């Protein structure tokens, strides 16, 4: 096998094998391995190589637990959206359709019916438990660098998910945590000069859990490309 073929095989396995994990084993990831994932994700491209991404990571089960408890308390007592970046006001057309498809796949995997408001709300609240993940990374970028820093951060997040997956570590990118951005930044002492993009919860997946069994679909090449 040539090295190009093996690179392609590996990338194919990684991009197709990664999925958003929503049930974790309660087992810490080795600190050296976490550093390895961050270093690999840090190889991402960025405009002018400014590398605007910054991370705060809960390194131990205890620090994750303290944050989890604090975040759940906040989410219970404060329902307003205090994100640094505006959330989409609504999803329409094809975007609404794709969003619905992902939601149906998630809730059917758990046997939650469309009209079961109580269980739907309960499952949505699990975001603030961070799905019991043993670690979370908070991703921020400097406000002063504007929207392209967010583009760079998106690339970094994608690399982080793949790098973690390559190390056998499952991930959940979590926009839901950014709903409480002011609280999260204050909790971790992250200054106002940074915008919180999202959280990435991570750890070892509960491989057999029903919520980890479904896979989302993707638009085809012709749906997202116009060859000119
Ligand atoms: C920026 C970003 C924010 C996300 N926020 C959440 C979230 O708050 N909760 C959640 O369960 N999944 C979240 N996801 C995961 C998406 O739902 C998931 O990536 C999408 O449905 C495709 O599924 P897959 O990752 O399993 O391929 C987020 C993904 C991204 C990239």
């Amino acid at each position: 096998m040539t090295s190009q073929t093996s690179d392609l095989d590996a990338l194919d396995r990684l991009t197709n094998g990664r999925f958003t994990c929503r049930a974790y084993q309660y087992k810490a990831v080795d600190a050296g391995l976490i550093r390895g994932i961050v270093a690999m994700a840090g190889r991402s491209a960025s405009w002018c190589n400014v590398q605007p991404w910054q991370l705060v990571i809960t390194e131990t089960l205890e620090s994750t637990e303290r944050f989890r408890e604090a975040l759940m308390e906040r989410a219970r007592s404060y329902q307003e959206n205090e994100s640094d970046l505006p959330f989409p006001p609504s999803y329409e057309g094809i975007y609404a359709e794709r969003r619905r498809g992902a939601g149906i796949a998630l809730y059917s995997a758990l046997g939650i019916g469309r009209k079961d408001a109580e269980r739907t709300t309960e499952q949505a609240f699990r975001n603030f438990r961070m799905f019991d993940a043993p670690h979370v990374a908070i991703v921020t970028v400097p406000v002063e660098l504007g929207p392209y820093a967010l583009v760079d951060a998106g690339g970094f997040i994608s690399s982080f998910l793949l790098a973690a997956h390559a190390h056998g570590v499952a991930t959940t990118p979590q926009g839901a945590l950014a709903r409480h951005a002011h609280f999260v930044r204050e909790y971790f002492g992250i200054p106002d000069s940074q915008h919180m993009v999202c959280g990435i919860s991570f750890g070892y997946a509960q491989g057999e859990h029903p919520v980890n069994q479904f896979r989302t679909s993707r638009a085809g090449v012709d749906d997202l490309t116009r060859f000119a």
Side-chain angles (χ1 to χ4, degrees):
M1 194 188 279
T2 65
S3 68
Q4 190 187 10
T5 321
S6 76
D7 280 356
L8 275 173
D9 284 349
L11 191 57
D12 192 50
R13 263 198 317 278
L14 291 172
T15 51
N16 285 301
R18 184 211 58 81
F19 67 95
T20 294
C21 175
R22 295 185 180 89
Y24 287 90
Q25 300 174 39
Y26 200 58
K27 177 180 163 198
V29 178
D30 176 77
L33 205 156
I34 297 177
R35 297 184 79 87
I37 293 168
V38 174
M40 203 176 261
R43 294 300 307 169
S44 304
S46 58
W47 197 343
C48 298
N49 199 28
V50 293
Q51 306 162 64
W53 43 78
Q54 288 281 308
L55 297 180
V56 173
I57 295 182
T58 58
E59 195 178 6
T60 62
L61 292 177
E62 293 72 24
S63 65
T64 308
E65 210 49 57
R66 275 195 298 276
F67 175 59
R68 191 186 335 274
E69 290 300 325
L71 180 64
M72 284 200 300
E73 179 53 36
R74 177 66 173 184
R76 275 191 212 102
S77 60
Y78 190 86
Q79 269 99 42
E80 300 302 306
N81 184 340
E82 52 165 4
S83 60
D84 289 331
L85 304 163
F87 275 26
S90 66
Y91 293 87
E92 305 294 337
I94 186 67
Y95 306 115
E97 228 173 86
R98 290 174 184 163
R99 182 173 187 242
R100 200 175 313 116
I104 290 172
L106 166 65
Y107 291 110
S108 332
L110 289 167
I112 301 175
R114 280 185 181 204
K115 295 197 174 130
D116 193 340
E118 196 176 319
R119 285 190 68 204
T120 305
T121 309
E122 208 177 282
Q123 176 60 25
F125 193 80
R126 288 191 58 75
N127 268 290
F128 304 115
R129 286 198 67 84
M130 300 174 308
F131 304 104
D132 293 315
H135 304 279
V136 64
I138 304 299
V139 185
T140 66
V141 292
V143 178
E144 63 181 296
L145 293 181
Y148 273 99
L150 298 170
V151 175
D152 294 339
F156 174 85
I157 291 163
S158 204
S159 300
F160 188 106
L161 307 185
L162 286 179
H165 182 61
H167 284 83
V169 173
T171 51
T172 323
Q174 284 197 270
L177 304 194
R179 201 181 158 80
H180 295 284
H182 287 221
F183 169 80
V184 174
R185 283 194 292 94
E186 200 177 322
Y187 182 92
F188 287 113
I190 302 168
D192 286 358
S193 54
Q194 294 276 315
H195 269 164
M196 176 177 170
V197 182
C198 67
I200 308 176
S201 299
F202 63 94
Y204 296 103
Q206 277 187 39
E208 305 303 313
H209 195 290
V211 80
N212 287 335
Q213 304 312 313
F214 76 94
R215 295 295 176 267
T216 48
S217 62
R218 290 296 186 273
V221 173
D222 292 324
D223 293 320
L224 62 98
T225 315
R226 184 167 65 85
F227 293 98

